[in-house]
Amino acid sequence: VLRLAQLFILALEAQLACSLVLGPVPRLPLRRAGGDSCALASLSMVEGGQGGSSDSSEVRKSAILAELARAEGAESDGARRADDADAEEGAVSPQAWVRDEWARLRRGEGEVAEFLKEFVPTFAFFLAIRIALVEPRYIPSLSMYPTLDINDQLAVEKVSKWNRPPRRGEIVVFDPPDAFWRLSQRERDGEALIKRVVAVGGDTVEVRGGRLYVNGQLQDESYVNERAAYELPPLAVPPGSVFVLGDNRNQSFDSHYWGFLPQRNIIGHAVVSYWPPGRIKGLDGVAERLAGPQPDQASAPLLER
């Protein structure tokens, strides 16, 4: 009887030590032999007591903590394996997802259908604006410096060319004429150029002493980088054409090299420079200042290439 009482007291001490160190521990379902961690620790302490080993509190605490950590680790591994198995069962292969989305798309349903309903009209709207109304352009060279610098971005409107001829002072974007490709010895690559219209059909243009004369009148060109380092004899601009020069006169491959530009090659005229923010400005000021009596080109036939 005395021996049984001693064993019972040892078991109580182990349970009490578990509660003091770890706090109340809920009893876990019996998933393995031996019950919960505290019970296993209690049994091991009891068996240790029967063998006559030291029953110090530190030893008992260490044994309890080790057994509890082992039991909790086993529980965590089991839960993790269960979660992984559930995830694998719920996974959908890419091929199955594509087949399902395609079937839903044919019915006008699903994520892809919703995306297309929103994207296609928006894309078509902005594409129509770019093709018919206005398009962005950037400056790749210094031929129009200081008005436009490298990497400046600008808006080019494409409507006015259908209802009026170009005006002196306008900055136009255009497809180069045949003479440009011939003199530059390059194949056509879709490149567009940007220059300023200095004379229109019916005008006489001349460069003398580095200064520009149109119809015999000296032009006030405060926008140019420097005076031209070349001379140009008087030339009559034919109807349906314009004469274009870069504002950086000595660094521009323009009409003083390759001649007149047919009006039909004009893509549009630049209206505003919008990037970088520090260089935002309108580009029609010169054309507005030069607005006045200009040769009538409305009925002038376009030149053939």
Side-chain angles (χ1 to χ4, degrees), residues 155-208:
V156 178
E157 68 87 12
K158 307 166 74 172
V159 178
S160 62
K161 67 177 183 178
W162 300 111
N163 54 38
R164 65 168 177 82
R167 295 172 178 168
R168 301 188 199 103
E170 283 185 340
I171 298 175
V172 295
V173 175
F174 57 91
D175 295 320
D178 294 338
F180 171 90
W181 301 109
R182 186 169 60 254
L183 292 174
S184 62
Q185 298 182 344
R186 293 168 50 191
E187 296 292 332
R188 293 180 180 273
D189 56 9
E191 177 186 4
L193 302 182
I194 181 167
K195 307 293 178 189
R196 188 184 298 275
V197 176
V198 297
V200 297
D203 284 340
T204 298
V205 60
E206 177 184 6
V207 176
R208 185 172 69 248

XYZ file of all heavy atoms in Angstrom, residues 155-208:
437
model
N 2.304 66.640 -79.532
C 1.057 66.159 -80.131
C 0.934 66.714 -81.544
O 1.131 67.916 -81.755
C -0.136 66.589 -79.284
N 0.606 65.840 -82.475
C 0.482 66.210 -83.889
C -0.969 66.021 -84.311
O -1.479 64.894 -84.299
C 1.410 65.343 -84.765
C 1.243 65.696 -86.237
C 2.870 65.516 -84.333
N -1.637 67.125 -84.624
C -3.041 66.995 -85.064
C -3.078 66.718 -86.570
O -2.249 67.197 -87.332
C -3.841 68.244 -84.686
C -3.487 69.513 -85.411
C -4.242 69.661 -86.727
O -5.193 68.907 -86.963
O -3.848 70.546 -87.521
N -4.084 65.922 -86.985
C -4.119 65.421 -88.357
C -5.407 65.791 -89.083
O -5.731 65.189 -90.112
C -3.957 63.900 -88.324
C -2.728 63.459 -87.551
C -2.735 61.978 -87.213
C -2.455 61.125 -88.405
N -2.267 59.698 -88.046
N -6.138 66.771 -88.557
C -7.430 67.120 -89.138
C -7.330 68.305 -90.078
O -7.917 68.316 -91.174
C -8.458 67.405 -88.025
C -9.795 67.829 -88.629
C -8.630 66.186 -87.136
N -6.565 69.324 -89.673
C -6.555 70.580 -90.433
C -6.060 70.401 -91.864
O -6.445 71.166 -92.758
C -5.690 71.620 -89.718
O -4.341 71.179 -89.618
N -5.232 69.398 -92.124
C -4.705 69.233 -93.479
C -5.796 68.895 -94.487
O -5.593 69.044 -95.694
C -3.638 68.135 -93.504
C -4.163 66.737 -93.232
C -3.061 65.705 -93.343
C -3.582 64.286 -93.144
N -2.511 63.282 -93.301
N -6.965 68.457 -94.012
C -8.052 68.099 -94.923
C -8.904 69.293 -95.317
O -9.663 69.216 -96.285
C -8.939 67.026 -94.288
C -8.203 65.760 -93.949
C -7.920 65.281 -92.701
C -7.652 64.822 -94.871
N -7.218 64.106 -92.792
C -7.044 63.792 -94.108
C -7.610 64.747 -96.262
C -6.401 62.711 -94.695
C -6.966 63.659 -96.847
C -6.387 62.661 -96.070
N -8.836 70.384 -94.542
C -9.718 71.518 -94.856
C -8.981 72.827 -95.134
O -9.625 73.845 -95.390
C -10.736 71.740 -93.715
C -10.067 71.889 -92.361
O -9.010 72.488 -92.254
N -10.700 71.334 -91.332
N -7.652 72.815 -95.082
C -6.904 74.032 -95.438
C -5.473 73.651 -95.801
O -4.970 72.601 -95.382
C -6.910 75.027 -94.285
C -6.172 74.535 -93.037
C -5.960 75.676 -92.053
N -5.330 75.230 -90.833
C -4.014 75.041 -90.692
N -3.204 75.238 -91.727
N -3.497 74.661 -89.527
N -4.803 74.497 -96.569
C -3.405 74.230 -96.917
C -2.483 74.572 -95.754
O -2.892 75.250 -94.803
C -3.161 75.159 -98.109
C -4.096 76.294 -97.885
C -5.321 75.701 -97.253
N -1.247 74.108 -95.797
C -0.288 74.462 -94.733
C -0.044 75.968 -94.694
O -0.214 76.667 -95.685
C 0.984 73.707 -95.137
C 0.543 72.668 -96.109
C -0.655 73.216 -96.812
N 0.385 76.451 -93.552
C 0.658 77.874 -93.368
C 2.138 78.097 -93.058
O 2.799 77.229 -92.486
C -0.184 78.425 -92.221
C -1.674 78.398 -92.487
C -2.443 78.774 -91.244
N -3.886 78.790 -91.492
C -4.802 78.859 -90.528
N -4.422 78.922 -89.255
N -6.083 78.875 -90.835
N 2.617 79.259 -93.442
C 3.994 79.600 -93.102
C 4.154 79.622 -91.584
O 3.305 80.139 -90.865
C 4.372 80.970 -93.653
C 4.253 81.128 -95.145
C 4.850 82.465 -95.579
N 4.361 82.852 -96.911
C 3.439 83.763 -97.121
N 2.879 84.384 -96.099
N 3.061 84.057 -98.359
N 5.253 79.085 -91.119
C 5.546 79.073 -89.684
C 5.090 77.828 -88.969
O 5.509 77.574 -87.844
N 4.216 77.033 -89.590
C 3.769 75.806 -88.947
C 4.885 74.764 -88.903
O 5.689 74.654 -89.829
C 2.564 75.213 -89.692
C 1.257 75.907 -89.413
C 0.089 75.211 -90.074
O 0.307 74.439 -91.036
O -1.046 75.442 -89.631
N 4.907 74.013 -87.825
C 5.821 72.871 -87.714
C 5.052 71.638 -88.150
O 4.003 71.314 -87.577
C 6.342 72.712 -86.275
C 7.143 73.954 -85.868
C 7.203 71.472 -86.149
C 7.596 73.945 -84.425
N 5.545 70.968 -89.187
C 4.823 69.836 -89.751
C 5.638 68.551 -89.634
O 6.875 68.569 -89.659
C 4.442 70.083 -91.232
C 3.465 71.236 -91.342
C 5.684 70.336 -92.072
N 4.919 67.446 -89.484
C 5.503 66.101 -89.532
C 5.101 65.502 -90.871
O 3.938 65.591 -91.280
C 4.993 65.241 -88.363
C 5.504 63.803 -88.486
C 5.414 65.845 -87.030
N 6.053 64.883 -91.574
C 5.763 64.438 -92.940
C 6.606 63.223 -93.319
O 7.632 62.922 -92.693
C 6.042 65.573 -93.932
C 7.454 66.104 -93.863
C 8.466 65.577 -94.664
C 7.775 67.140 -93.000
C 9.762 66.065 -94.600
C 9.073 67.641 -92.938
C 10.071 67.102 -93.731
N 6.127 62.537 -94.354
C 6.905 61.463 -94.973
C 7.891 62.099 -95.949
O 7.491 62.902 -96.800
C 5.982 60.505 -95.725
C 5.031 59.765 -94.797
O 5.474 59.364 -93.707
O 3.843 59.598 -95.155
N 9.175 61.754 -95.858
C 10.153 62.387 -96.755
C 9.839 62.100 -98.222
O 9.349 61.021 -98.566
C 11.476 61.725 -96.339
C 11.239 61.214 -94.958
C 9.798 60.823 -94.912
N 10.118 63.047 -99.115
C 9.897 62.821 -100.558
C 10.977 61.912 -101.135
O 11.951 61.552 -100.462
C 9.986 64.236 -101.140
C 10.901 64.961 -100.210
C 10.628 64.402 -98.840
N 10.799 61.547 -102.388
C 11.739 60.637 -103.044
C 13.170 61.165 -103.011
O 14.128 60.404 -102.825
C 11.310 60.404 -104.497
C 9.995 59.660 -104.602
O 9.645 58.977 -103.615
O 9.322 59.746 -105.643
N 13.333 62.478 -103.212
C 14.681 63.054 -103.264
C 15.430 62.848 -101.951
O 16.654 62.702 -101.942
C 14.597 64.545 -103.606
N 14.714 62.840 -100.843
C 15.357 62.618 -99.551
C 16.033 61.255 -99.518
O 17.201 61.135 -99.128
C 14.322 62.730 -98.431
C 14.833 62.308 -97.077
C 15.429 63.231 -96.238
C 14.715 60.989 -96.638
C 15.901 62.851 -94.983
C 15.186 60.605 -95.396
C 15.779 61.538 -94.567
N 15.309 60.223 -99.940
C 15.866 58.864 -99.895
C 16.997 58.712 -100.909
O 17.980 58.023 -100.654
C 14.763 57.846 -100.160
C 13.637 57.924 -99.177
C 12.369 58.379 -99.405
C 13.689 57.570 -97.791
N 11.618 58.321 -98.272
C 12.399 57.822 -97.251
C 14.675 57.064 -96.958
C 12.091 57.580 -95.924
C 14.370 56.821 -95.621
C 13.092 57.078 -95.121
N 16.828 59.360 -102.031
C 17.857 59.244 -103.066
C 19.166 59.906 -102.608
O 20.251 59.318 -102.758
C 17.357 59.876 -104.363
C 18.289 59.692 -105.548
C 17.627 60.099 -106.855
N 17.215 61.502 -106.857
C 15.946 61.908 -106.744
N 14.969 61.030 -106.634
N 15.651 63.197 -106.771
N 19.086 61.093 -102.050
C 20.294 61.799 -101.625
C 20.927 61.189 -100.382
O 22.152 61.221 -100.217
C 19.980 63.274 -101.366
C 19.625 64.097 -102.604
C 19.201 65.507 -102.208
C 20.823 64.164 -103.560
N 20.103 60.648 -99.490
C 20.639 60.034 -98.270
C 21.121 58.608 -98.506
O 21.736 58.018 -97.622
C 19.585 60.045 -97.162
O 18.449 59.276 -97.543
N 20.804 58.056 -99.714
C 21.222 56.694 -100.078
C 20.729 55.682 -99.038
O 21.463 54.787 -98.613
C 22.736 56.617 -100.233
C 23.271 57.503 -101.341
C 24.776 57.384 -101.519
O 25.493 56.881 -100.658
N 25.272 57.866 -102.651
N 19.478 55.829 -98.661
C 18.865 54.922 -97.691
C 17.623 54.297 -98.286
O 16.994 54.859 -99.179
C 18.487 55.676 -96.418
C 19.663 56.187 -95.613
C 19.198 57.161 -94.541
N 18.096 56.621 -93.750
C 17.371 57.347 -92.900
N 17.626 58.645 -92.761
N 16.400 56.793 -92.211
N 17.276 53.125 -97.771
C 16.024 52.494 -98.149
C 14.896 53.104 -97.328
O 15.090 53.542 -96.185
C 16.100 50.984 -97.897
C 17.127 50.253 -98.744
C 16.761 50.234 -100.219
O 15.538 50.296 -100.514
O 17.659 50.178 -101.055
N 13.709 53.136 -97.887
C 12.553 53.643 -97.140
C 12.320 52.764 -95.908
O 12.216 51.544 -96.018
C 11.299 53.643 -98.018
C 11.376 54.638 -99.175
C 10.105 54.589 -100.014
N 10.164 55.520 -101.117
C 9.803 56.793 -101.054
N 9.343 57.282 -99.899
N 9.894 57.585 -102.098
N 12.237 53.394 -94.759
C 12.046 52.640 -93.522
C 10.879 53.157 -92.684
O 10.737 52.799 -91.513
C 13.329 52.682 -92.683
C 13.801 54.105 -92.387
O 13.035 55.053 -92.682
O 14.911 54.269 -91.857
N 10.040 53.983 -93.280
C 8.887 54.506 -92.550
C 9.193 55.685 -91.653
O 8.323 56.153 -90.917
N 10.411 56.205 -91.708
C 10.780 57.346 -90.871
C 10.005 58.595 -91.284
O 9.795 58.846 -92.467
C 12.279 57.620 -90.989
C 12.747 58.843 -90.215
C 14.209 59.168 -90.468
O 14.828 58.479 -91.310
O 14.720 60.113 -89.850
N 9.577 59.356 -90.299
C 8.924 60.643 -90.547
C 9.843 61.758 -90.066
O 10.604 61.586 -89.107
C 7.586 60.721 -89.832
N 9.783 62.898 -90.740
C 10.607 64.050 -90.382
C 9.729 65.166 -89.825
O 8.513 65.189 -90.037
C 11.373 64.557 -91.600
C 12.294 63.564 -92.314
C 13.015 64.255 -93.467
C 13.302 62.943 -91.355
N 10.372 66.103 -89.127
C 9.668 67.267 -88.602
C 10.477 68.516 -88.929
O 11.672 68.596 -88.633
C 9.417 67.135 -87.083
C 8.658 68.356 -86.561
C 10.721 66.916 -86.320
C 8.098 68.165 -85.165
N 9.841 69.480 -89.596
C 10.484 70.736 -89.997
C 9.457 71.863 -89.914
O 8.266 71.624 -89.681
C 11.037 70.658 -91.432
C 11.960 69.470 -91.721
C 13.274 69.527 -90.979
C 14.128 68.290 -91.259
N 15.316 68.225 -90.389
N 9.931 73.069 -90.153
C 9.041 74.225 -90.152
C 8.781 74.680 -91.588
O 9.719 74.786 -92.397
C 9.650 75.372 -89.347
C 8.672 76.543 -89.138
C 9.360 77.696 -88.427
N 9.835 77.345 -87.099
C 9.093 77.376 -85.992
N 7.810 77.726 -86.072
N 9.617 77.064 -84.818
N 7.531 74.948 -91.913
C 7.167 75.480 -93.222
C 7.586 76.954 -93.263
O 7.144 77.759 -92.437
C 5.655 75.364 -93.470
C 5.277 76.023 -94.793
C 5.214 73.894 -93.463
N 8.447 77.307 -94.226
C 8.882 78.708 -94.344
C 8.312 79.364 -95.591
O 8.299 80.600 -95.694
C 10.422 78.813 -94.342
C 10.992 78.313 -93.023
C 11.034 78.063 -95.518
N 7.829 78.559 -96.534
C 7.222 79.115 -97.749
C 6.222 78.117 -98.286
O 6.409 76.898 -98.159
C 8.299 79.421 -98.802
N 5.160 78.606 -98.874
C 4.101 77.747 -99.413
C 4.015 77.940 -100.919
O 4.730 78.761 -101.514
C 2.750 78.079 -98.738
C 2.810 77.794 -97.235
C 2.357 79.534 -98.988
N 3.149 77.149 -101.562
C 3.006 77.220 -103.004
C 2.723 78.641 -103.495
O 1.840 79.321 -102.969
N 3.495 79.083 -104.499
C 3.337 80.436 -105.022
C 4.326 81.423 -104.433
O 4.485 82.528 -104.971
N 5.003 81.076 -103.325
C 6.007 81.950 -102.726
C 7.340 81.827 -103.459
O 7.612 80.818 -104.134
C 6.237 81.588 -101.252
C 5.121 82.066 -100.347
O 4.379 82.979 -100.740
O 4.999 81.503 -99.226
N 8.171 82.835 -103.287
C 9.564 82.775 -103.725
C 10.435 82.815 -102.470
O 10.293 83.719 -101.635
C 9.923 83.960 -104.636
O 9.111 83.922 -105.818
C 11.386 83.896 -105.043
N 11.296 81.835 -102.335
C 12.110 81.716 -101.131
C 13.580 81.893 -101.498
O 14.035 81.454 -102.566
C 11.869 80.352 -100.439
C 12.213 79.192 -101.354
C 12.647 80.251 -99.142
N 14.328 82.531 -100.585
C 15.736 82.805 -100.843
C 16.476 82.885 -99.513
O 15.931 83.358 -98.505
C 15.867 84.123 -101.601
C 17.299 84.561 -101.870
C 17.366 85.925 -102.530
O 16.302 86.577 -102.677
O 18.476 86.358 -102.893
N 17.725 82.409 -99.498
C 18.601 82.586 -98.342
C 19.800 83.398 -98.809
O 20.542 82.981 -99.702
C 19.053 81.224 -97.757
C 20.047 81.442 -96.617
C 17.852 80.416 -97.263
N 19.958 84.573 -98.188
C 21.037 85.478 -98.589
C 21.686 86.055 -97.342
O 21.007 86.573 -96.460
C 20.468 86.598 -99.463
C 21.529 87.529 -100.038
C 20.941 88.511 -101.057
N 20.063 89.514 -100.469
C 18.758 89.582 -100.672
N 18.152 88.708 -101.464
N 18.039 90.540 -100.104
